[in-house]
Amino acid sequence: MEITTRLEFDAGHRIPSHKSICKNLHGHRYCIEVTIKGDINSEKTNSNFGMVLDFKDAKDLIKKSIVDEWDHSFIVYEHDEVVLKFLNSLKNHKTVIFPLVPTAENMALVAMDKLKTAFKKEFGDSIRPFKIKLFETPNNWAEVY
């Protein structure tokens, strides 16, 4: 069985080598949809009876693993030295240094890796993320399975 939940966050980024305006500092209202796969709980006395996982528990884990870190931050590629220097000059700035250029595609890949680790730690192999859909805008997104 698969279930999906959705959370939103705001963040800034830039694509340093982009041919157009995305090379400039800018931000988005991102949306992340996480599809989780697992068996329906059949234990009648369990709080999650009839569910794969309580949606609130799924949201809490996703929020802790992704949203709390990325929300209202500037996500910067670790080799974008000009912007890193600028961000480091600001006091108490929320900066996320990213191992990849922070495109929607790469953000979805990083989110999947982080959530695989978080779900494995919490649930072993019984409940796991199956698909991440990361919206950069309402009309543009990346999906990773």
Side-chain angles (χ1 to χ4, degrees):
M1 173 66 70
E2 297 171 12
I3 63 170
T4 302
T5 192
R6 174 185 183 111
L7 291 98
E8 295 181 357
F9 63 95
D10 299 293
H13 76 148
R14 84 171 188 139
I15 311 301
S17 300
H18 195 267
K19 66 184 174 195
S20 187
I21 61 175
C22 290
K23 70 179 174 250
N24 298 317
L25 304 177
H26 64 284
H28 298 282
R29 175 73 173 173
Y30 289 95
C31 174
I32 186 167
E33 288 183 1
V34 179
T35 300
I36 299 160
K37 195 171 196 165
D39 293 331
I40 296 175
N41 189 313
S42 58
E43 200 175 309
K44 291 181 183 177
T45 59
N46 189 293
S47 174
N48 288 345
F49 176 58
M51 305 175 200
V52 171
L53 180 64
D54 186 300
F55 283 116
K56 182 183 181 325
D57 294 337
K59 284 185 176 192
D60 287 348
L61 187 54
I62 297 160
K63 184 177 181 303
K64 185 172 100 175
S65 303
I66 303 293
V67 175
D68 287 349
E69 181 183 356
W70 294 359
D71 189 37
H72 283 81
S73 73
F74 194 89
I75 301 170
V76 61
Y77 178 43
E78 66 184 2
H79 297 294
D80 190 348
E81 294 173 15
V82 172
V83 173
L84 273 171
K85 183 177 178 182
F86 166 69
L87 294 172
N88 287 331
S89 74
L90 303 174
K91 290 186 179 189
N92 300 318
H93 187 270
K94 189 174 179 185
T95 301
V96 174
I97 299 173
F98 228 59
L100 305 166
V101 175
T103 60
E105 295 89 339
N106 285 334
M107 290 174 69
L109 287 170
V110 169
M112 178 61 93
D113 286 344
K114 290 170 81 65
L115 289 174
K116 278 183 183 178
T117 300
F119 272 83
K120 178 114 175 142
K121 183 178 177 185
E122 190 74 23
F123 303 107
D125 293 324
S126 63
I127 301 172
R128 63 197 178 286
F130 174 72
K131 178 174 81 170
I132 304 289
K133 191 172 187 177
L134 185 85
F135 290 82
E136 189 172 86
T137 71
N139 299 315
N140 300 296
W141 63 86
E143 293 179 55
V144 62
Y145 293 83

